[in-house]
Amino acid sequence: MTTNTRLIERVRGAQQRHREDPAGVGDFDQAKRELHNELIESLDFEQVSKTPRPELEERLRSILLEKVEFRALPMSRMEREWLVQEILNEVLGYGPLEPLLKDPEISDILINGYDRVWIERRGKLERVSVRFRSDTHLLQIIDRIVSSVGRRIDETNPMVDARLADGSRVNAIIPPLALDGPTLSIRRFGTVPITAANLIAFGSVPREMMDVLRGCVHAKLNVLVSGGTGSGKTTLLNVLSSFIPEDERIVTIEDSAELQMQQEHVVRLETRPPNLEGRGMVTQRDLVRNALRMRPDRIVLGEVRGEEAMDMLQAMNTGHEGSISTIHANTARDAVGRMESMVSMGMPNMTDKSIRLTIARAIDVVIQLDRLMDGKRRVISISEVTGMEGEVVSMQDIFRFEQKGVDAQGNVIGTFYATGTRPRFSDRLRGYGIELPSELFRFRMEV
């Protein structure tokens, strides 16, 4: 538990003690509201807009500390400082969300109502004592978040996707669609990108399998990263993209910008929702088509989810090799089936066999990810698309992970192993100077 989280728990305990003590000097929340109002009334907003954030925060902190000392509230020094920090969070930031957003261990913040806040830490969900004053207070924070990126949320537009300044992905949905009050979900991304070495250290993938993936990207194989929600698809996509040589031009296409590209020659594209009049929408399919005119060496599609699938496959088949994308699916075979369904949506006149042939010619490797019961993300399989057998896309597993059980601490135990099949893309890798040793295909590692 981080210092911020421990401090939150202590202050919440102090709040409860103040509420239960009728002889207390004053209610914590009441004092906070009064101090907040006093501070707002004293601000010169024209001057505030011209003052840099660090300097403004320091000034306001000094003013608030003086006011708190003057009130002589029955709190420890640490609790007084936290009271001041909570007010500053309300004035300058996102209120109760601020300490959670500053905690690097938290990967998801899930708010089911003003008094029901959950977080994910190290793959496990837990409820925290952080709460908002009311639904109205939560709505104000949601509105502050979405308005900062030029969006709006109200009864006529009750769902919105947005992005915080640090790249965190935000989804909000409010009544009448959300029956129990405003709901907010924040998927956080670390400021320091996760590297291949990190994934190996976490036990997500062995070094031997990562070396093969590095070779696949370097040799310009088209790669599809598959997995369920929260399985680590975007993280692995970032790692794979880091293997792209610096001298290649990369175009990324996303619904909400999350990729953390390490190269210098990158063009980042993001879709746009329709405006209030229902106009101006730009889809991933529009951006894929436009990207083909931008002379890309690689196209990285954050997630293929609709009609853009056909355009992406055609790009892979017509000179844009080495493209990478993610897809929601539970197995590698399901990923190919979902891709087939998406293509048929965009090209309803194509026969099933033609669609499967297009997929078989475009996709070279499918990487399957899963989040296991202990919260850890692992590469479950690396499969090669080998072509067509009759009217079916044929695939073969190169590496797999087999779960064998759970230890006393609840950690999943299992084995990463090579299936013994030498992939057909070995010749392609050899052409790029990458030799896969024969012992690699006898690889086996217990975890």
Side-chain angles (χ1 to χ4, degrees):
M1 187 179 292
T2 65
T3 302
N4 269 347
T5 308
R6 286 195 296 268
L7 191 53
I8 291 172
E9 299 295 338
R10 286 189 57 186
V11 174
R12 294 303 173 195
Q15 291 176 341
Q16 187 62 33
R17 291 195 301 273
H18 291 316
R19 294 189 186 98
E20 295 171 353
D21 180 14
V25 173
D27 181 85
F28 184 98
D29 289 335
Q30 179 65 27
K32 187 170 74 172
R33 284 194 293 270
E34 291 175 359
L35 287 168
H36 179 268
N37 292 336
E38 288 178 17
L39 182 65
I40 293 296
E41 291 173 1
S42 66
L43 288 179
D44 180 348
F45 288 98
E46 183 176 347
Q47 187 65 29
V48 164
S49 62
K50 299 177 182 178
T51 307
R53 168 70 185 263
E55 181 182 341
L56 177 62
E57 184 170 346
E58 201 55 44
R59 287 184 187 178
L60 298 183
R61 186 184 300 278
S62 299
I63 294 171
L64 285 169
L65 283 172
E66 289 180 5
K67 291 180 180 292
V68 170
E69 293 292 337
F70 177 76
R71 285 174 175 262
L73 296 172
M75 292 183 286
S76 68
R77 182 171 178 272
M78 181 175 288
E79 290 169 348
R80 293 185 185 189
E81 289 179 353
W82 185 252
L83 171 63
V84 169
Q85 188 60 53
E86 282 199 343
I87 298 172
L88 288 175
N89 290 342
E90 289 290 342
V91 175
L92 301 176
Y94 298 128
L97 288 178
E98 284 292 323
L100 302 180
L101 292 171
K102 292 176 182 177
D103 189 336
E105 293 185 351
I106 295 176
S107 56
D108 283 275
I109 302 171
L110 308 170
I111 302 171
N112 301 341
Y114 77 92
D115 59 347
R116 301 186 303 281
V117 180
W118 296 75
I119 63 170
E120 181 184 285
R121 182 185 279 116
R122 294 185 291 276
K124 293 289 187 179
L125 284 175
E126 59 182 275
R127 187 169 181 175
V128 293
S129 59
V130 171
R131 56 180 288 158
F132 297 80
R133 292 193 302 271
S134 62
D135 282 343
T136 302
H137 183 208
L138 176 54
L139 270 172
Q140 290 172 350
I141 299 300
I142 291 173
D143 185 65
R144 189 178 302 176
I145 291 172
V146 300
S147 61
S148 67
V149 292
R151 309 287 293 279
R152 60 177 292 181
I153 187 167
D154 51 35
E155 287 190 2
T156 60
N157 187 38
M159 294 188 298
V160 68
D161 281 310
R163 182 163 32 91
L164 298 179
D166 64 357
S168 298
R169 186 174 65 200
V170 177
N171 177 270
I173 182 166
I174 65 173
L177 300 186
L179 301 181
D180 297 322
T183 301
L184 182 67
S185 305
I186 301 177
R187 169 66 58 85
R188 301 188 62 220
F189 299 94
T191 53
V192 178
I194 291 179
T195 64
N198 295 141
L199 291 184
I200 293 168
F202 296 156
S204 299
V205 57
R207 183 177 304 278
E208 291 81 357
M209 291 167 59
M210 183 61 77
D211 287 343
V212 172
L213 295 180
R214 187 193 307 269
C216 290
V217 174
H218 188 73
K220 292 190 173 183
L221 297 182
N222 296 318
V223 178
L224 191 62
V225 180
S226 169
T229 301
S231 60
K233 298 187 299 297
T234 301
T235 299
L236 182 60
L237 183 59
N238 278 323
V239 170
L240 295 178
S241 66
S242 70
F243 301 148
I244 299 174
E246 286 284 350
D247 60 352
E248 295 188 16
R249 177 176 170 85
I250 307 168
V251 177
T252 68
I253 299 168
E254 303 174 81
D255 261 341
S256 182
E258 301 168 2
L259 296 177
Q260 298 171 314
M261 308 298 289
Q262 306 303 303
Q263 293 82 355
E264 183 178 358
H265 199 173
V266 178
V267 178
R268 303 170 68 218
L269 305 179
E270 187 178 41
T271 61
R272 185 176 68 183
N275 59 22
L276 293 177
E277 290 76 32
R279 301 175 182 173
M281 182 177 184
V282 179
T283 66
Q284 285 199 137
R285 189 172 196 181
D286 297 328
L287 294 180
V288 170
R289 288 175 171 176
N290 188 79
L292 299 179
R293 306 183 183 100
M294 299 174 67
R295 198 255 173 231
D297 291 306
R298 311 261 188 156
I299 296 176
V300 179
L301 185 60
E303 181 184 339
V304 58
R305 62 178 67 187
E307 297 178 350
E308 70 277 0
M310 186 61 191
D311 299 278
M312 184 68 181
L313 293 175
Q314 287 178 335
M316 292 174 172
N317 276 324
T318 55
H320 298 89
E321 298 171 317
S323 297
I324 314 172
S325 183
T326 71
I327 190 170
H328 272 83
N330 293 325
T331 67
R333 173 61 63 182
D334 287 347
V336 173
R338 282 210 67 210
M339 183 71 75
E340 184 180 337
S341 299
M342 293 174 188
V343 173
S344 64
M345 287 175 7
M347 304 291 290
N349 296 325
M350 282 186 71
T351 64
D352 291 344
K353 185 175 182 179
S354 297
I355 293 174
R356 290 167 189 158
L357 185 59
T358 302
I359 293 172
R361 288 175 174 172
I363 305 296
D364 297 305
V365 178
V366 181
I367 307 168
Q368 184 65 38
L369 296 167
D370 196 9
R371 180 168 63 172
L372 305 180
M373 60 182 298
D374 59 359
K376 294 178 181 177
R377 283 84 168 172
R378 286 207 169 105
V379 174
I380 299 301
S381 67
I382 299 177
S383 306
E384 179 184 28
V385 178
T386 57
M388 294 280 291
E389 290 183 3
E391 295 191 357
V392 178
V393 177
S394 59
M395 304 175 67
Q396 60 182 10
D397 290 342
I398 309 303
F399 296 97
R400 289 196 60 82
F401 173 79
E402 180 182 354
Q403 180 176 334
K404 293 185 175 180
V406 181
D407 65 16
Q409 289 73 41
N411 297 313
V412 170
I413 55 177
T415 304
F416 287 105
Y417 65 95
T419 62
T421 302
R422 190 176 188 90
R424 297 185 183 183
F425 58 67
S426 297
D427 293 336
R428 175 76 173 265
L429 268 61
R430 189 178 298 111
Y432 280 80
I434 302 167
E435 188 68 42
L436 299 179
S438 58
E439 59 267 19
L440 179 64
F441 303 104
R442 296 189 296 271
F443 163 77
R444 191 175 187 87
M445 188 178 82
E446 307 287 338
V447 291

